[in-house]
Amino acid sequence: MGIYPPPLENLIRQLSKLPGIGQKSATRVALYILKKPKGPAEDLARCLLEVKEKISFCSLCFNFTDRDPCTICRDETRRNGMLCVVEGPGDQLAIEESGFFKGRYHVLHGVLSPLDGIGPEDLKIGELLARLEKEAVQEVIMAMNPTVEGEATVSFLTDLLSKKGIILSRIALGIPMGGDLKYMDAMTLRHALKSRTSLRP
Ligand SMILES: [Zn+2]
């Protein structure tokens, strides 16, 4: 039995199930909510239910949306035939905010990670294949993060899509803007040299 009354213990238990929130943080948040007036707690409870009720996957790109298809998939000014594959909604948002890419997206919702038990069936890979059957896609750009799991996912998708007659590309990895070669790790430098681009056509 916990040291707090059961309803408070229940709230702490539920909060501590959230990613990145341990027992101590959960207790702090629960006590904070308890001390505040009822209004903010009701707003929070309403928002929690609302995201579950109103947000779902876009049936085309599998990003989260409150309207299917999502705004980007509905946008007729964007270029068809160029598909940027990303790990998650946050990555898609980051690319979108750069304002450079005007094609379409496909959100995998994770990367392959056998150690965590995440296989191809746990990601939106089957949905990507189905999409490539239906849409006239000329190029798939892999925009996975430069992690072991990200690289493994790129290799897996490259093998899977290599015989489909589609151009497969990977976003360049290397030195960030404002970076300094002296402080780069060996892996970053290796990738930067590998991803070098020609200065003259
Ligand atoms: Zn969409």
Side-chain angles (χ1 to χ4, degrees):
M1 219 167 101
I3 55 169
Y4 295 115
L8 186 52
E9 283 289 340
N10 287 342
L11 179 58
I12 294 169
R13 198 177 320 114
Q14 292 303 325
L15 288 171
S16 64
K17 288 179 189 171
L18 299 174
I21 299 192
Q23 187 75 14
K24 272 189 184 171
S25 304
T27 306
R28 198 161 53 235
V29 172
L31 291 173
Y32 174 83
I33 291 172
L34 194 59
K35 272 187 244 163
K36 288 278 166 190
K38 202 176 172 189
E42 282 174 341
D43 290 344
L44 179 63
R46 200 177 317 112
C47 288
L48 286 172
L49 289 175
E50 210 170 55
V51 289
K52 293 304 292 176
E53 282 161 8
K54 293 189 178 169
I55 309 277
S56 58
F57 289 135
C58 168
S59 57
L60 295 172
C61 72
F62 292 89
N63 202 351
F64 290 124
T65 183
D66 60 349
R67 213 176 135 194
D68 188 25
C70 72
T71 321
I72 291 177
C73 290
R74 278 200 321 265
D75 186 347
E76 288 177 5
T77 66
R78 298 188 75 104
R79 190 174 156 190
N80 288 319
M82 197 182 252
L83 206 58
C84 181
V85 181
V86 292
E87 289 182 24
D91 303 302
Q92 190 253 29
L93 188 68
I95 295 178
E96 202 48 27
E97 281 182 345
S98 78
F100 182 76
F101 182 69
K102 294 293 174 205
R104 308 283 178 183
Y105 292 96
H106 189 86
V107 185
L108 291 180
H109 289 279
V111 274
L112 295 174
S113 181
L115 288 178
D116 300 312
I118 301 172
E121 63 288 348
D122 300 307
L123 308 175
K124 301 292 179 194
I125 290 178
E127 288 81 352
L128 174 63
L129 292 177
R131 215 175 151 185
L132 295 174
E133 293 297 320
K134 274 188 272 174
E135 292 178 31
V137 174
Q138 286 98 46
E139 181 175 1
V140 169
I141 303 169
M142 314 237 189
M144 269 61 94
N145 289 303
T147 57
V148 173
E149 293 82 7
E151 294 301 315
T153 310
V154 170
S155 297
F156 181 83
L157 288 179
T158 306
D159 287 347
L160 204 62
L161 307 179
S162 61
K163 293 198 176 71
K164 294 202 176 287
I166 300 168
I167 299 168
L168 302 176
S169 59
R170 169 91 171 100
I171 53 165
L173 309 170
I175 316 296
M177 290 298 285
D180 190 325
L181 287 188
K182 293 194 288 296
Y183 304 118
M184 292 300 138
D185 61 283
M187 186 76 98
T188 303
L189 283 172
R190 203 175 306 150
H191 274 299
L193 283 165
K194 224 170 116 185
S195 309
R196 69 187 184 278
T197 51
S198 173
L199 294 174
R200 284 191 193 170

